[in-house]
Structure formats: C-alpha cells, structure tokens
Amino acid sequence: MRRLMYESQRALASPVRNPRMATVIGRLLGAAFLICFGTGLYSHFLQEPLDWMRFATRPEFLYQVTQGTHIVAGIACFPLLLAKLYIVFPELFAYPPVRGLVHFLERASIALFVGASLVQITIGLLNTYQWYPWPFPFRQVHFALGWVLIGLLVIHIGVKLPVITRYWSKSTSADDDHLVDAVSNDRSANAEAVRLWGPSRPGGVTGRVLDYIDATPRVAGGVSRRGFLTTVGVATTAVVALTAGQTFTPLNAVNLFGPRKKGVGQQGVPVNRTSEQALVADAAMAAGWTLTLAVAGTERSFTRSELLALPQTEVRLPIACVEGWSQMASWRGVRLRDLADLMDAAPDSSFRLISLEERGSFSKTQMGREYVRDPLTLVALELNGETLDLEHGYPARMIAPGRPGVLQTKWLSRIEAI
C-alpha cells in the first residue's frame, strides 16, 4: 500500500503542486472568503437588525457596492477553490493516510472546509438566479454556513501556519524558483532540496518535495507554474467580468451570465418579485386603495390622489438586490419624514412597512429612524418620469438610500410607528 501511495504521488507530481503555490492561491481564496463573510454579515443585519443597530444612509449606493462585491467575490471563489484543490490533490494519496489524532483532526477539518465551501458558493450562485432545488431555507443556511466556514478557515490557518509562514515571504519564493529551475535540468537538485528543507521524512514537507523532484522529468511537458497562474487569473477575471456588469455599470456591456441586465424590465428597471408571484394585482389596482399611517394610536388614510397632492420630491437612488444586481433610477413621491411630521411622529420613531402581499418573508419590514428621517427616503409614486408600474410596486412603494431591494417594500398598504 505504501508503495502504491508513493507511486500515485509521483504520478501526480507537477511543478505547480507544491507548498509555495498552495500558499499563493490559498491567500487569494482566503481573502475572497473574508470579503464574502464581511459583506454578507452587513447584508444579513440590514435585513434582520438587532435592536441597537443603526446603519449609514450615505453614500446612497453603499449597499449596491457591498452586495455587488459580495457576489463578485463569491463567484471568484469558484476558480480559486478549484485551483487550490488541483494543487493539493496528491495529498489524498499521502501515506499513511492518518498519522495520529492531530493529523486525523487536520484532515477532517480540511474535508469539512472543502465540502462546506463547495456547498456555500454553489447555493449562493443559484440564489442569484432565484433557483432553489433544495428543501432547506436558503437565507438561514447560507448565514449559518458562513460562520462554519470562517471557523474552519481559522482552524485550517492555525494548522497550516508553519507552512504558510515558510512560503509566504519573497525570499522563500526565490528558493523555490531556484530549486524548480534546477530540478528541470539536474537530478542532483536532491541535495539542494535536503539543504533547503532538511532531511527527507515520509509524508513530511521534504518527502513531498523529493517526490516532486524525482517525478519532475516525467511531467516536464505538463502545466508550468506561469501557465497555471495565468490560467487561474484568466478564469477568475472572466467569471467576474462576465457577471459583474449586473452591478457595476462599466461592465454592463459584457454581462453575459448575470441573471439581470441593466435597463431590461418595466420602466427600464429589472423586476425580482412580480405581482403575479405576490398575488397582489387585484388589491393593488382596486379603486378603493389607500395608504394608512398609524402613529401612537392615531390613524390616517391617504388615497393615491391625496398623496400626489402633497409636496413631491424627486431623487436618484438605486434598487440593489441581495442577488447582486442593481439599477440606478429616478423616483418621485412624498418624503417619509413629511408624512411622519403630518402624524406628529416622534423624531426617534422607527416604522413598520406592510405590503398588500399577504405571504412572503418581506411582506412586513422594519425601517430604523435613520432611514425614516433621511430626506431621500420616499413613498414613491413615480419611476423614471412615469406612473409607478404595477411590477415596481404600484400604487406606492418605499425607496430609501442604502437599503436592500427586499426592504424597499412594494405595494404599500400600511405604515406603523413602532
């Protein structure tokens, strides 16, 4: 068995399968995961804030950038994770497979980390297309997996810290480059490997390096390090560039794979949840629709005509959705703070927004006082110079700076001070 494992490692040896390359790709992948985790936390707590939390309303495109970055970093994880798996694949054939309890825990944590990573980025990608071929709730599982992944990442870094430290610096990289160049031409590089990494030991760093050295002439026609890094760089750039246009306007022309495209949809704005899905068409188009405001036990209802008769404000704000797409648009309507003042609402009041939609996770949402009092927050009645389309929330919807699209409640029916 030992001989078979050894021969398997020799057969899989490649100039790119070494600790230095694993460190280079690993730190890029780690950075992508940390960006995803940070921006994901921000999105989560915007949607489910703790009582003490307050959020910035400027710049007004803040969520557009953070969530767009979240999706872009998540997509970049695909080629980076596959590259890392390609590099460390021979480790599956290390002998003995388990060398003790600590080694078992190390291998188990890596297996969990790889499995959780693949699940996390896959369900995240499918969520951008609003396709859910699984029985569990996406948001809760995606959030929980994020914490699991960060925990496993910390464990992985802790376990591999000596190797990471060794191969992180430029000086170590120079040693690697010198050795690899020597290996390509001279088997006597075995001696230099021993000098650089110490005596060989089965399954240790030096053992793997010497296996690599012995096998290198047999794989001389394989992928070079430069070719490998170029391939990873091109693949990562491609998957990002061909989807990021759904958020970042300069790349809109090459948005081939993003589920939404800027300017495509009613009134030039994409639509996520339709009136048919929300089952609100009849109620929204009813002649007797009113928007009711409730503050401290006092209620007042406004027809659409009455809302239009109030002072109107026009603002430019993006719709920025959790799926990563966004679209800047012009909105016109009544400032929410003006409605709050009409009802003598306290300056520190938060509001509950209630939609005509009876079902759905966001048929009722909450808005903190920082948004209520922001001069850009509107009960919107028009979009891009036209009467608000039914698919965009007619007869009235909420629009506020820096909020996820799911919180920009459509088909408003009631606003309550809380």
Side-chain angles (χ1 to χ4, degrees):
M1 175 61 73
R2 179 175 180 176
R3 180 67 181 175
L4 177 62
M5 301 291 271
Y6 177 80
E7 289 299 328
S8 298
Q9 282 191 307
R10 283 170 55 89
L12 292 170
S14 166
V16 303
R17 285 175 166 154
N18 57 69
R20 168 63 183 171
M21 191 65 71
T23 301
V24 170
I25 299 298
R27 63 192 181 196
L28 293 174
L29 183 61
F33 274 129
L34 289 174
I35 290 171
C36 283
F37 183 68
T39 53
L41 279 184
Y42 182 67
S43 180
H44 174 82
F45 286 116
L46 276 174
Q47 298 171 62
E48 298 183 19
L50 302 179
D51 290 340
W52 54 267
M53 288 183 171
R54 296 293 178 266
F55 300 95
T57 62
R58 297 291 186 281
E60 58 271 18
F61 52 81
L62 177 60
Y63 187 74
Q64 181 181 20
V65 172
T66 61
Q67 193 62 12
T69 301
H70 178 80
I71 299 300
V72 165
I75 291 172
C77 286
F78 280 95
L80 292 174
L81 182 57
L82 292 176
K84 182 68 180 291
L85 291 176
Y86 177 83
I87 293 168
V88 302
F89 181 68
E91 293 295 323
L92 295 176
F93 302 94
Y95 187 87
V98 177
R99 299 193 299 273
L101 178 61
V102 174
H103 188 233
F104 169 76
L105 293 175
E106 174 188 340
R107 290 177 71 87
S109 68
I110 292 173
L112 285 173
F113 179 64
V114 171
S117 298
L118 290 171
V119 171
Q120 182 77 326
I121 62 178
T122 299
I123 65 175
L125 179 64
L126 294 181
N127 175 65
T128 67
Y129 291 88
Q130 296 187 308
W131 183 39
Y132 307 101
W134 51 73
F136 52 81
F138 167 76
R139 283 195 306 120
Q140 291 84 342
V141 171
H142 197 61
F143 179 68
L145 268 180
W147 286 101
V148 171
L149 273 176
I150 290 301
L152 290 171
L153 180 61
V154 170
I155 293 173
H156 180 63
I157 291 173
V159 168
K160 293 294 186 181
L161 189 59
V163 177
I164 294 171
T165 303
R166 185 172 215 162
Y167 295 101
W168 189 280
S169 68
K170 292 182 179 180
S171 59
T172 303
S173 176
D175 283 342
D176 284 352
D177 290 343
H178 176 60
L179 178 59
V180 171
D181 290 340
V183 167
S184 300
N185 301 297
D186 189 354
R187 281 178 175 271
S188 66
N190 282 277
E192 185 167 3
V194 173
R195 181 182 68 79
L196 289 172
W197 281 285
S200 176
R201 58 185 185 277
V205 172
T206 307
R208 291 196 295 274
V209 170
L210 293 180
D211 287 346
Y212 155 67
I213 290 170
D214 289 337
T216 297
R218 299 169 54 188
V219 295
V223 178
S224 68
R225 290 171 301 151
R226 181 175 297 177
F228 178 75
L229 288 174
T230 300
T231 300
V232 173
V234 169
T236 304
T237 301
V239 296
V240 167
L242 297 177
T243 54
Q246 64 178 345
T247 296
F248 303 107
T249 302
L251 294 173
N252 184 48
V254 292
N255 176 19
L256 300 182
F257 300 134
R260 299 289 187 276
K261 192 169 179 67
K262 292 182 183 295
V264 177
Q266 287 86 345
Q267 297 178 300
V269 179
V271 174
N272 244 19
R273 188 163 177 81
T274 67
S275 59
E276 182 178 1
Q277 292 171 320
L279 302 175
V280 297
D282 291 341
M285 301 301 293
W289 173 88
T290 59
L291 174 63
T292 300
L293 270 70
V295 177
T298 301
E299 294 189 4
R300 179 176 173 181
S301 295
F302 297 83
T303 65
R304 183 175 163 85
S305 296
E306 289 173 331
L307 290 172
L308 286 168
L310 294 173
Q312 303 290 297
T313 300
E314 185 168 344
V315 301
R316 281 188 61 78
L317 290 175
I319 282 287
C321 284
V322 294
E323 292 84 3
W325 67 267
S326 60
Q327 172 75 60
M328 186 66 72
S330 295
W331 309 88
R332 185 177 174 83
V334 183
R335 285 178 175 170
L336 183 58
R337 72 178 187 182
D338 292 342
L339 291 173
D341 289 341
L342 278 176
M343 298 296 295
D344 294 323
D348 61 348
S349 294
S350 297
F351 281 5
R352 179 181 295 113
L353 314 175
I354 302 175
S355 173
L356 291 171
E357 181 180 4
E358 296 182 359
R359 295 183 178 181
S361 301
F362 297 97
S363 59
K364 296 180 181 179
T365 63
Q366 293 189 24
M367 175 178 280
R369 62 176 179 265
E370 66 271 30
Y371 297 104
V372 173
R373 290 292 165 180
D374 193 285
L376 297 183
T377 300
L378 303 182
V379 173
L381 306 172
E382 297 180 7
L383 169 58
N384 288 337
E386 302 174 352
T387 297
L388 196 66
D389 190 273
L390 176 62
E391 302 307 324
H392 287 302
Y394 178 89
R397 72 169 298 163
M398 191 60 61
I399 189 72
R403 298 254 288 177
V406 292
L407 301 183
Q408 310 281 36
T409 307
K410 299 198 286 188
W411 312 296
L412 278 171
S413 67
R414 186 178 177 88
I415 301 175
E416 300 174 343
I418 53 176

